[in-house]
Amino acid sequence: MQQPLIGVTACRWEHNGQYFHVAGDKYLRAVVFGASALPVIVPAFGDLIAPESWFARLDGLLFTGSPSNVNPDLYGHTLHMLNTHSDTARDATTLPLLRAAIEAGVPLLAICRGFQELNVALGGTLHQAVHTAGPWADHREDPNADLAEQYGPAHIIHTEPGGVLEELGLPPKFEVNSLHTQGVETLAPGLRVEARAPDGLIEAVSVESARAFAVGVQFHPEWQVQHNPHYLTLFRAFSKACIARATQRARGEV
């Protein structure tokens, strides 16, 4: 079996006048322990590296969460007063990379910010502050709680019948964590709703036309993935698709 190589998207942070490309440890570990794969960080270089340049070497892409948010200019909104963190270098990298990966049939799993990037990349819009946008619950974590509580079960999600999550054997409802301020406002064309929170907010999507695994989730299945069977199911399905691509690459078929 060919061990897959999975690209993990990075944020660009500035410190003392220098830039650093940063990917969270929990995402990298989830690639190793949840997907049984090798992680490699994809820097937020914008158009310095063409998205297609990665595909000869990568077997999958993990689009990570982040403290930053997608620039609302990219989906036709003005900046909300609570949207205080941006990363334009990441936006310039991940949105084209998502579109190119779908077109090329590269497996992808998009988490939190990555989930929001997927929606924006395909033409959707976001609520910048879900808890101020009408009927929605407050999906943010308690900033004063420890990590175990922040990433602990927060609410159930209801999976949609006939979708990818059901096909993976995930139950009609299960508990997830919740650590997000933003959420889907208008669903992008070509995305299928896979799960919703009790308040109706979209919590998971799939790409209808995708030739490989292409799923986005608003929650954080990377957190202690080995100890949560539902989170592990997602990563194993992603891994299976990445292994298939790795095998094809080894044979020169892609």
Side-chain angles (χ1 to χ4, degrees), residues 146-171:
D146 62 23
L147 286 177
E149 183 177 344
Q150 288 182 349
Y151 282 89
H155 60 72
I156 62 169
I157 59 171
H158 298 272
T159 58
E160 294 287 319
V164 173
L165 299 192
E166 183 183 68
E167 185 179 339
L168 296 180
L170 289 168

Side-chain angles (χ1 to χ4, degrees), residues 157-208:
I157 59 171
H158 298 272
T159 58
E160 294 287 319
V164 173
L165 299 192
E166 183 183 68
E167 185 179 339
L168 296 180
L170 289 168
K173 62 180 182 179
F174 60 93
E175 286 188 311
V176 298
N177 47 35
S178 186
L179 300 93
H180 61 102
T181 300
Q182 304 209 328
V184 170
E185 179 188 51
T186 303
L187 187 67
L191 290 182
R192 182 191 191 279
V193 176
E194 290 286 339
R196 294 182 184 269
D199 61 2
L201 193 68
I202 297 172
E203 287 280 336
V205 297
S206 61
V207 180
E208 291 181 311

Side-chain angles (χ1 to χ4, degrees), residues 4-8 42 51-63 96-110 118 207 209-215 237-246 248-249 254:
L5 183 67
I6 294 178
V8 180
V42 176
E52 296 79 8
S53 299
W54 292 102
F55 302 155
R57 295 168 176 83
L58 295 182
D59 303 304
L61 284 161
L62 178 64
F63 292 82
L97 188 58
L98 275 160
R99 291 188 286 262
I102 293 167
E103 179 68 24
V106 177
L108 68 90
L109 176 59
L118 177 61
V207 180
S209 63
R211 294 187 283 122
F213 185 90
V215 170
F238 177 46
S239 174
K240 183 179 179 180
C242 295
I243 290 169
R245 180 174 172 82
Q248 291 176 322
R249 282 204 311 114
V254 293

Side-chain angles (χ1 to χ4, degrees), residues 126-142:
L126 303 175
H127 292 299
Q128 294 180 57
V130 167
H131 57 288
T132 69
W136 314 114
D138 190 341
H139 287 256
R140 296 173 297 176
E141 73 277 18
D142 179 354

Side-chain angles (χ1 to χ4, degrees), residues 221-235:
E222 81 285 354
W223 179 255
Q224 297 184 347
V225 63
Q226 293 170 284
H227 306 294
N228 186 306
H230 303 317
Y231 296 174
L232 190 57
T233 293
L234 277 172
F235 268 89

